[in-house]
Amino acid sequence: MIRRRPVLRPLLTALLVGVVPLLAALTLAAPAARAAALTEVTGFGANPSDLRMYVYRPDSAPAHPAVVVAVHYCTGSGPAFYSGTEFAALADRYGFLVVYPSATREGGCFDVSSPQALRRGGGSDPVGILSMVTSAEQHYGADPDRVYVTGASSGAMMTNVLLGDYPDVFKAGAAFMGVPFGCFATTDGSSWNSACANGALTKAPRQWGDLVRAAYPGYSGPRPRMQLWHGTEDTTLRYPNLGEEIKQWTDVLGVSGTPAATDHPQSTWTRTRYGGTGDRAPVEAVSVQGAGHTLPATGMAARAVAFFGLDSATTPPTDPPTTPAAACRVTYAASTWNTGLTASVTLTNTGAAPVDGWALTFTLPAGQTLTSGWNAVFASSGGTVTARDAAYNATLAPGASTTLGYQAAHTGNAGAPASFSLNGALCQVG
């Protein structure tokens, strides 16, 4: 990433103001001495931005442990995040592996701004971090079905980026004092976006969600869950960013932006859950009254680990679906002829909450090619079709239906798609 020094200095000044109290808080939370040690790993794979990789494998780790990628703040490092947070102590207790990426560029910030960082396989830091995950799987036996990411400040921004770029790799994330995916984007080579940092960049949920979806075009699989933390008095990455993150991830996960549950785990915490009421809801947000740029404080890492489902030393959890099971139903009918077909698809919301904005994804059988569509905005890539709502049918109330259609050419196979996914969740068919 190209950097300009006159722009970088205010970035470092702003983040240092927030990091000094953060460092003090993390020092107070430093874990006790432990038998295992932090180990640097070199030659771990593609690493276009010269990151360093550190791994903490606790003595309690099983043969195939879960992985938590823990990403540091600006001016920090992997070893500093290891010694100053509670993740390693929690790894001792629950037996998961912790990977600590370490930025080496001036200022120690991660790249969450460049076009390369904001697309899958585009380059820069996300590619290097993905290589670390692969290395952990290959050399430590880590379980590829239980990979999670968390971070503070710059690391929280990277948490958002990694969930957008690699939704098929990470099962969930926990971002402490972050901003939405794409909020910090720049095109002039700088790494600082003042409008975003000041909480002045606002978008509709669909707009934020589209930024995430554009990072991996055509992806129709399950999306990772997200836990978000922010202090109300944060003057470095200001508090309105929490609301924008909530908009983004509820849209990406296809759940209502209205909380399904609200409570206060501690007197200064307000926790809201979206799309579910349990400990592992699709989206969870915690607002910390009176806190500045000083998270995670004592006890918060444990809440993140619980959200991941890793707070058990004996039974590896199975991640729940990101949206309620069978929240949608699709009925399909077609008229066919020797070289083509027209299909009618009726989508019904079978859930208890309204769907505010939808994307229906399906794969055409081999030999079929989309030629046109109606009552939705259609896009096709390699046989995968995504039909997004039109303005007049964007909201589906519980029990409501909408019908869309398309025409396709075929070379002999006029069959129906095998499955349909609404905002990443499989629908019932029939």
Side-chain angles (χ1 to χ4, degrees), residues 95-418:
F96 56 82
L97 190 79
V98 191
V99 172
Y100 296 93
S102 196
T104 59
R105 64 174 55 84
E106 181 185 3
C109 299
F110 288 93
D111 175 16
V112 295
S113 305
S114 74
Q116 293 80 12
L118 296 175
R119 68 175 185 271
R120 180 184 181 85
S124 197
D125 294 348
V127 167
I129 294 174
L130 183 67
S131 294
M132 296 180 196
V133 171
T134 302
S135 175
E137 294 168 358
Q138 293 174 345
H139 300 292
Y140 290 88
D143 184 351
D145 291 326
R146 294 191 296 148
V147 180
Y148 306 88
V149 59
T150 186
S153 192
S154 180
M157 297 190 233
M158 180 53 70
T159 297
N160 278 268
V161 168
L162 289 170
L163 295 196
D165 287 356
Y166 300 104
D168 53 334
V169 174
F170 296 95
K171 300 302 179 184
F176 294 90
M177 313 175 303
V179 303
F181 177 103
C183 185
F184 242 62
T186 59
T187 57
D188 61 358
S190 67
S191 57
W192 184 254
N193 186 316
S194 294
C196 178
N198 291 331
L201 191 57
T202 60
K203 296 181 183 291
R206 169 55 65 83
Q207 292 175 305
W208 281 126
D210 284 346
L211 290 178
V212 172
R213 288 182 283 268
Y216 188 1
Y219 178 72
S220 59
R223 293 280 180 174
R225 297 176 297 110
M226 176 60 103
Q227 184 187 66
L228 304 162
W229 296 76
H230 224 105
T232 61
E233 302 305 314
D234 193 327
T235 58
T236 303
L237 299 173
R238 291 186 180 269
Y239 180 68
N241 280 301
L242 176 62
E244 300 304 302
E245 287 177 296
I246 293 170
K247 288 183 192 177
Q248 182 171 72
W249 292 106
T250 52
D251 180 79
V252 169
L253 287 163
V255 300
S256 173
T258 301
T262 301
D263 64 0
H264 301 276
Q266 294 190 17
S267 61
T268 59
W269 299 6
T270 299
R271 178 171 62 188
T272 49
R273 288 168 166 165
Y274 303 83
T277 60
D279 289 341
R280 291 155 70 197
V283 179
E284 179 175 287
V286 184
S287 171
V288 186
Q289 183 64 39
H293 202 65
T294 57
L295 309 183
T298 302
M300 293 180 180
R303 297 281 182 167
V305 169
F307 179 76
F308 295 159
L310 299 181
D311 54 341
S312 168
T314 56
T315 305
T318 300
D319 238 20
T322 56
T323 54
C328 52
R329 183 177 66 253
V330 167
T331 56
Y332 173 94
S335 298
T336 67
W337 59 95
N338 58 341
T339 60
L341 61 91
T342 58
S344 175
V345 178
T346 299
L347 169 65
T348 301
N349 175 12
T350 59
V355 175
D356 185 13
W358 51 266
L360 188 68
T361 305
F362 53 93
T363 300
L364 297 172
Q368 291 187 19
T369 305
L370 181 74
T371 56
S372 63
W374 49 92
N375 290 345
V377 179
F378 284 81
S380 179
S381 175
T384 298
V385 176
T386 300
R388 299 191 183 280
D389 62 78
Y392 54 83
N393 61 4
T395 300
L396 290 177
S401 300
T402 189
T403 298
L404 54 143
Y406 64 88
Q407 183 168 323
H410 69 81
T411 58
N413 182 357

Side-chain angles (χ1 to χ4, degrees), residues 5-15 192:
R5 289 179 180 273
V7 176
L8 184 58
R9 288 195 185 97
L11 162 63
L12 295 178
T13 300
L15 290 175
W192 184 254

